[in-house]
Amino acid sequence: VVLANGRIYNVNQTANPDLYFALRGGGNNFGIVTRFDGNLWGGMTIHPITANVSIYKAFYNFANNAPKDPDAALITAVAYAQGQYIFSNDYEYAKPVINPPIFHEFTSIPNITSTMRIASMSDLARELNASNPGGFRETYTTATFKNNADLQVKILEFFVKEVEGIKDAAGILPALVMQPITKDMISHFSKKGGNALGIAESDGPLICKPRSLKLRAKPSITLSLFHFTAKPNPTQIADGKRKPVMNIAIMWTSKSDDARIVAAANRVISASKSAAKAMNLDYNYIYQNYASLNQSVFASYGPANQQRLIQISKKYDPDQVFQKLQPGYFKLSGANGGSPT
């Protein structure tokens, strides 16, 4: 990690453990991470919408079986592109093991294309980045819920309803992404120094849902970033084994479409949170990488963790370079407890 004063630190649970804690959830407020050690297995697969039953079943079973293999992570989503809805899955495995058993149900599903391989984290990050070219307008918003398949069906219905109203926008590519936060993942949050997210194992499991509608002008679209799923089997009801994070991401090309697209994305989040509250499934955690500019990320970590992050920031960055001089993203003491500048 390169600090504001130019010094380079190796950071882990034993070397500079307070900074290690802060980096695991603290965003770009402490330094510039230049290296992650080790290789892993991962990549993406794209599937036709006709694979919806198999993909939802695999997602459901993955969430239930995840405690058996804590090295696995998954993102799955549904998106509208070039006049149709499609699926994609994003896999990460923390060890360089080809096609680990935890993913076999997914990898046995025929796909249109696959990039699965052993690679460094930076290689996989570059692949994701390549599927998100610059120069387009884009909005993200997120919410987190306790796991329940019926709620996910409702959210998908909200998403499709809003997409139908904006699909005429130039270059539009909307995506509804679901990412499970399993109880096993949460159990590791407190290990190796812990992190600042404020999620306890007793809270899990969760579903992290980014709100994202992506619109692109180019008719040829690289879809490897997006993960698409259709309605799950009605028998796959709440299992209490995960909390998914939801993301709605939208890209588009014309400023004249800004208001209606952002409004559509906000309506998906609002309807989803209302449905979750009615089902007692809402959860107050905002995933920073998927958050919109009007969401208070660090306040969602809880007041104690937010204050601890501020104290660590003052220790390693006494001149507050990353708070005052670095533009963008979420600041520790911003409006509403942590808004981007």
Side-chain angles (χ1 to χ4, degrees):
V1 177
V2 180
L3 301 185
N5 61 9
R7 296 184 63 184
I8 299 174
Y9 278 43
N10 282 321
V11 180
N12 53 50
Q13 63 266 34
T14 57
N16 307 295
D18 53 352
L19 184 55
Y20 187 63
F21 168 89
L23 290 173
R24 300 170 75 187
N28 66 350
N29 293 286
F30 301 93
I32 300 172
V33 178
T34 60
R35 188 187 77 228
F36 287 95
D37 295 329
N39 286 334
L40 56 159
W41 179 87
M44 307 175 193
T45 56
I46 305 296
H47 303 267
I49 193 64
T50 52
N52 64 82
V53 173
S54 297
I55 290 176
Y56 253 119
K57 180 175 178 289
F59 184 91
Y60 180 85
N61 290 334
F62 173 85
N64 285 341
N65 295 326
K68 299 178 181 178
D69 193 338
D71 292 313
L74 168 72
I75 304 174
T76 190
V78 59
Y80 178 83
Q82 299 180 356
Q84 62 181 332
Y85 291 91
I86 59 173
F87 286 90
S88 170
N89 295 310
D90 178 34
Y91 315 90
E92 291 84 26
Y93 195 72
K95 297 176 181 178
V97 176
I98 297 174
N99 194 18
I102 188 69
F103 288 126
H104 279 182
E105 192 170 0
F106 284 102
T107 56
S108 65
I109 301 171
N111 61 69
I112 298 171
T113 184
S114 172
T115 66
M116 305 307 296
R117 67 201 185 280
I118 292 176
S120 67
M121 181 177 287
S122 59
D123 286 339
L124 293 174
R126 281 191 289 269
E127 179 180 53
L128 283 170
N129 187 60
S131 65
N132 282 270
F136 298 92
R137 313 186 75 78
E138 184 170 11
T139 183
Y140 264 36
T141 298
T142 187
T144 304
F145 308 111
K146 296 179 182 179
N147 181 56
N148 182 286
D150 291 337
L151 175 61
Q152 292 185 61
V153 170
K154 289 180 181 291
I155 292 171
L156 179 57
E157 292 172 350
F158 300 146
F159 173 74
V160 171
K161 177 183 177 181
E162 295 299 336
V163 169
E164 290 300 306
I166 60 173
K167 66 182 183 181
D168 62 326
I172 187 167
L173 180 56
L176 170 63
V177 186
M178 293 289 184
Q179 181 173 347
I181 305 177
T182 68
K183 292 192 73 170
D184 190 68
M185 291 179 184
I186 298 171
S187 72
H188 285 268
F189 287 177
S190 61
K191 299 177 181 179
K192 297 184 178 180
N195 66 34
L197 303 182
I199 301 176
E201 185 174 357
S202 59
D203 296 333
L206 296 167
I207 297 177
C208 179
K209 171 201 176 284
R211 175 260 278 162
S212 110
L213 297 171
K214 305 188 177 231
L215 314 168
R216 306 181 186 211
K218 297 181 180 180
S220 177
I221 301 173
T222 300
L223 294 170
S224 56
L225 172 62
F226 307 103
H227 315 274
F228 314 96
T229 56
K231 293 183 180 180
N233 188 312
T235 62
Q236 296 174 356
I237 58 176
D239 58 22
K241 298 292 179 64
R242 60 193 166 143
K243 289 184 174 64
V245 176
M246 177 181 78
N247 178 23
I248 299 174
I250 310 174
M251 289 182 183
W252 66 104
T253 59
S254 176
K255 184 177 181 180
S256 64
D257 288 320
D258 285 5
R260 67 176 181 134
I261 289 172
V262 171
N266 287 335
R267 285 193 296 269
V268 177
I269 288 293
S270 178
S272 299
K273 289 182 69 66
S274 293
K277 287 179 180 179
M279 301 169 71
N280 196 29
L281 297 170
D282 195 28
Y283 189 80
N284 187 35
Y285 165 67
I286 297 173
Y287 178 45
Q288 187 170 179
N289 284 355
Y290 296 155
S292 69
L293 61 89
N294 62 353
Q295 293 186 295
S296 299
V297 171
F298 297 113
S300 78
Y301 294 3
N305 278 340
Q306 185 178 4
Q307 287 303 311
R308 183 177 177 187
L309 288 174
I310 291 172
Q311 293 169 1
I312 295 172
S313 172
K314 291 178 179 178
K315 174 182 176 180
Y316 287 95
D317 184 11
D319 295 325
Q320 295 292 275
V321 170
F322 288 103
Q323 299 301 304
K324 299 176 182 178
L325 299 182
Q326 179 176 238
Y329 217 49
F330 297 89
K331 302 309 177 188
L332 297 175
S333 299
N336 300 320
S339 298
T341 57

